[in-house]
Amino acid sequence: MDAPTISLSPAAARRVAAIAEKQGKPAILRLSVEGGGCSGFQYKFGLADGPDDGDSVSQTDGVSLVVDAMSLDLVAGCVVDYVESLGGAAFRVENPNAAASCGCGSSFAV
């Protein structure tokens, strides 16, 4: 059975690479899911030094996206994008598994 896929959009990969370069860290974005937020679960982003045991890893333009096994169940099939709008700029998860999400785009329900 193939592992569920999650990926970075090219725009998100460029943004991660720029942030990592400024901070002198590897271009590795960790996405995790925590309980809470206005819809039940919330996304958490951060730079990582490397993948942990059991992480799912995907690559886009030389940038890695790592997700732990527990979070992967909730975000399988997602694309992490970077969106700039009048309201600001942010990483956004396009999650086909979410039954509902909130207006802020950082929390969801399944």
Side-chain angles (χ1 to χ4, degrees):
M1 181 173 134
D2 288 339
T5 58
I6 180 164
S7 60
L8 280 172
S9 71
R14 282 191 301 275
R15 185 64 183 155
V16 171
I19 293 169
E21 185 176 342
K22 278 185 189 168
Q23 295 188 11
K25 293 191 169 208
I28 302 171
L29 180 68
R30 174 169 297 283
L31 168 62
S32 58
V33 176
E34 297 180 343
C38 32
S39 293
F41 293 101
Q42 59 188 0
Y43 303 111
K44 184 177 173 192
F45 295 100
L47 290 179
D49 292 324
D52 294 332
D53 287 344
D55 280 351
S56 175
V57 181
S58 67
Q59 297 264 337
T60 302
D61 299 335
V63 176
S64 296
L65 174 64
V66 296
V67 182
D68 64 90
M70 288 197 44
S71 297
L72 187 62
D73 286 344
L74 296 166
V75 296
C78 292
V79 175
V80 177
D81 197 6
Y82 183 73
V83 180
E84 296 185 50
S85 67
L86 291 175
F91 288 104
R92 175 150 299 151
V93 179
E94 296 169 13
N95 189 341
N97 308 311
S101 60
C102 66
C104 68
S106 65
S107 78
F108 68 102
V110 288

